[in-house]
Amino acid sequence: MTLAIKGKVWKFGDNVDTDVIIPARYLNTSDPIELAKHCMEDADPRFAAKVEKGDIIVGGRNFGCGSSREHAPIAIKAAGVSCVIAESFARIFFRNALNTGMPILESPEAARRIEAGDVVEVLVGEGLIRNLSRGEEYKAAPFPEFMQRIVDCGGLINYVRERIRNES
Amino acid sequence: MTITEKILAAHAGRDRVEPGELISVKVDMVLGNDITAPVAIDQFRKAGAKTVFDPEKIALVPDHFTPNKDIKSAEQCAKLREFAKEQSIRHYFEVGRMGIEHCLLPEQGLVRPGDVVIGADSHTCTYGALGAFATGVGSTDMAAAMILGEVWLKVPESMKFLYHGKLQRWVYGKDLILYTIGDIGVDGALYKAMEFCGESIENLSMDSRFTMANMAVEAGAKNGIVEPDKVTLEYVRGRVKGDYRVFRSDPDASYSAVYEYDAGKIEPQVAFPHLPDNVRPISEAGEVRIHQVVIGSCTNGRMEDLRAAAEVLRGRKVHSGVRLLVFPGTQQIYLEAMREGLLEIFVEAGGAVSTPTCGPCLGGHMGVLAEGERAIATTNRNFVGRMGHPKSEVYLSNAAVAAASAVTGRIASPEEL
């Protein structure tokens, strides 16, 4: 499956934690629209108001470290962000993104070379990242087959639903 | 194989597993709280599931925004309560009979050595202290595990951390783990298993071992683990029901890295804002004035912590510019601390004692910081905005240092008093 995404880049540093992505003070709801209003608030209070549909977040090392709150990828997705590219991801965030169908790509080269405001095109299935502003291309590590199957199902719940159907 | 690999292999129905392999493992316990379980319940319904795989293997603990801090939180807790009732989940813990999940589950004997536990809370790794494989996941993983009774995992590489020597006075598991995170960094163990061993660990209390495993995630680890020994078996005796298996790492098990520390030289440690790896020994903390002290949490809300804090606070007063908040980890710990006279010491000193809750640790309620305020806390994270205003600061330490700081009004060692 080739999913092509194109958008303007918001760049963040290393160790972007889940408290910054969605502060716990807003976790008394899991409504995606409510969560999106406060996405990245403690790193950049203007983010939620200014981010446009399709924009891309680029982070450094250990993106999404901290809590297990699935509200983090939910908030990012509901804010309109189409994809997160990082040098590396914290493991729970990585699982949560995969399980909820939020496209993520791990590429140290892309994370270093891409600057804020660059326009980037991503072929998620191929793991190919094109920086249209700089005329560069970067490769992301492909998902192992099992993980790709979850992505192809559109997330873990669809995968489970299929299994329930097959077993009954 | 390492202890982590052995536990995973046993739960995957395999003789052996290799690091990097993707496997599906059976789970012995699935945990959720009032923030993560409501999302998991929605996903459970979305998957078209009608019943959980085994109501005895699910624990639901409303501990984050409880006692209900506002209407929305109350509704999240109601959703948990109703789901527990509908699915006949016995291990649902109501306010007044509950505790902070990671203090509560081991205390109630719901985790056994050799178990695989997943929890929709990042500090689920705490149970590694019992020689179990335990790791944090998100709500969707929790939902899938509640339905299927299994979870997909990548077998982690293991890192070995050896601690030698006798610990100095006022040094606890908290200091060993802060020192370690300071050494390897907040992504130093990314995706890996941290295995804690050496004679300092063998001589460490169960409470301090929980603290160390609890903060493995602060180094990016998938799990932290301690091989079961006399201390472990003593702890689980009379608590856990049924058989359990004790796994140990083979002498020729392979590790991606081995770290050795002279633990006898480690002082009490303080993690400065805004990452848990920004660690300094207490002697180099300098002059840091504080406004709030938080003693408690899934990291340090156990008897050892409360005893240490009480020892420091006995006959002393909290500094006039400081608010001291003490949160026993569970109702049982609360009761024990009351019987030992510890709660009286805290109140006499001018501190507030609360029912168990995660509240202040994540800036939820019961001790939120204003702009410009500083807190020293026995919790696990000091990220930007973690305890309140994005321009507030959190410093992490053990309970004795936190208590001494409450007296002096600045970050201080108990030795100074």
Side-chain angles (χ1 to χ4, degrees), chain A residues 15 17 19 24 27-28 30 42 61-62 66-68 70-71 89 91-92 95-96 99 146 156 161 163, chain B residues 35 46 65 70 72 76 120-121 135-141 150-152 186-187 191 362 381 383 386:
Chain A
N15 304 311
D17 62 76
D19 280 276
L27 296 184
N28 55 2
S30 54
D42 289 355
R61 281 164 54 171
N62 203 23
S67 104
S68 69
E70 209 157 283
H71 310 66
F89 289 94
R91 57 163 286 276
I92 306 178
R95 290 183 77 94
N96 286 346
N99 285 343
F146 173 75
L156 184 66
R161 191 190 293 141
R163 264 191 62 173
Chain B
I35 290 181
K46 226 157 109 187
F65 290 165
D70 54 25
K72 284 181 179 171
Q76 296 205 116
D121 188 279
T135 192
V137 296
S139 298
T140 299
D141 272 317
E150 58 185 51
V151 63
W152 67 269
V186 289
D187 63 351
Y191 295 93
L362 73 164
R381 292 192 176 130
F383 299 152
R386 174 72 179 179

Side-chain angles (χ1 to χ4, degrees), chain A residues 8 23 26 37 44 51 61 66 78-80 100 119 127 140-141 148 153 157:
Chain A
K8 184 169 63 48
Y26 303 118
K37 287 181 194 162
D44 182 351
V51 67
R61 281 164 54 171
T100 55
V119 175
Q148 190 59 47
C153 283
I157 284 306

Side-chain angles (χ1 to χ4, degrees), chain B residues 345-364:
Chain B
I345 292 170
F346 300 139
V347 175
E348 288 283 353
V353 180
S354 162
T355 195
T357 177
C358 309
C361 171
L362 73 164

